[in-house]
Amino acid sequence: MKKVLLVAALSLGTMTAIAQETETAVEEVSTEMMEAQDAFAEIALEEVPEAITEALEVAHPGATVAKAYINEASQYKLEVATEEGEAVELYADAEGNWIEM
């Protein structure tokens, strides 16, 4: 009977340790992803490349840029207000190509 209890205790301890390691790894990945997305610095609207403003007019006619941000990879994050009054967040590269983030 003592062996059964010992085996059960060891099994429970091992499972707990594995669960903690997995949870820590998930938290680290989530933090890294948030840091990558938060690496954007606000810029003046006049600094947004013309290629992006032209692409915005084609993709979302009548939309206006409320705020613009740039990251180290020269990717732009735009907070846009559509004609319908919706707030949209868009991402583009310097050439005006839309990207998924």
Side-chain angles (χ1 to χ4, degrees):
M1 185 68 165
K2 289 181 184 180
K3 289 182 182 179
V4 172
L5 290 176
L6 180 62
V7 169
L10 289 175
S11 298
L12 182 60
T14 303
M15 286 186 239
T16 304
I18 291 172
Q20 288 175 346
E21 288 177 18
T22 304
E23 186 175 308
T24 303
V26 169
E27 287 175 6
E28 289 174 6
V29 170
S30 296
T31 303
E32 288 174 10
M33 289 176 59
M34 287 174 55
E35 287 174 2
Q37 289 183 348
D38 291 339
F40 285 90
E42 188 169 359
I43 59 171
L45 297 179
E46 298 81 32
E47 295 179 50
V48 176
E50 190 173 326
I52 293 176
T53 56
E54 290 173 358
L56 179 64
E57 185 59 35
V58 170
H60 303 277
T64 56
V65 179
K67 290 186 179 181
Y69 306 86
I70 188 170
N71 67 9
E72 291 179 1
S74 295
Q75 297 170 329
Y76 293 82
K77 172 178 150 181
L78 307 172
E79 292 181 6
V80 177
T82 65
E83 275 189 326
E84 295 81 28
E86 295 178 33
V88 180
E89 200 169 86
L90 302 171
Y91 297 89
D93 62 18
E95 289 79 36
N97 299 310
W98 301 112
I99 53 178
E100 295 282 327
M101 296 287 276

